[in-house]
Amino acid sequence: MTVQFNHTIIRARDQEASARFLTEILGLPDATRFGPFQVVKVENDVNLDFYETDGEIASQQYAFLITESEFDEIFARIRERRIDYWADPGQSRPGEINHRDGGRGLYFEDLNGHLLEILTRPYGSGD
Ligand SMILES: [Fe+2]
């Protein structure tokens, strides 16, 4: 089987600001334009296509696997910008991070209310 996840469309109120928020916080290359999309590319060649809409935006969740040193950098940027973060997806533990699978993780919101997760160890990879 050679099925690979290739892209997803993320609805946004301001697609340029939303793409820039993501690339700046995660330390990714600038977004590029493709048709009506602002495209953010991540390391495993998945594209996140920001699509601008005035319509309703249902909150989705996107999780990014990063290294421990990247966690330090991203977490520093989150705190510098005073962005709220939580240890859990239910957002019941504000100002905390989690240590699932022996790594570190946290959740924060993007400009549209999508929930973004960063984690240094994939689920189930710990002892
Ligand atoms: Fe998750």
Side-chain angles (χ1 to χ4, degrees), residues 25-104:
I25 289 288
L26 296 187
L28 294 167
D30 289 345
T32 56
R33 191 75 185 178
F34 181 76
F37 305 112
Q38 280 295 109
V39 180
V40 174
K41 192 182 260 313
V42 293
E43 187 63 31
N44 52 341
D45 273 340
V46 171
N47 288 349
L48 306 171
D49 298 343
F50 283 88
Y51 180 74
E52 196 154 303
T53 179
D54 291 330
E56 193 184 328
I57 297 177
S59 177
Q60 301 289 339
Q61 187 181 321
Y62 302 93
F64 300 90
L65 183 64
I66 58 175
T67 65
E68 290 291 339
S69 63
E70 285 167 342
F71 187 96
D72 290 335
E73 294 168 19
I74 294 166
F75 192 25
R77 288 191 283 267
I78 287 171
R79 283 174 298 176
E80 269 167 30
R81 294 186 182 207
R82 302 184 190 287
I83 294 169
D84 292 334
Y85 60 92
W86 297 264
D88 62 313
Q91 296 172 284
S92 69
R93 294 167 57 197
E96 293 180 49
I97 69 170
N98 68 65
H99 295 276
R100 283 196 297 254
D101 295 298
R104 290 181 291 170

Side-chain angles (χ1 to χ4, degrees), residues 61 63 89 100 107 117 119 123:
Q61 187 181 321
R100 283 196 297 254
Y107 299 79
E117 175 182 3
L119 69 168
Y123 289 174

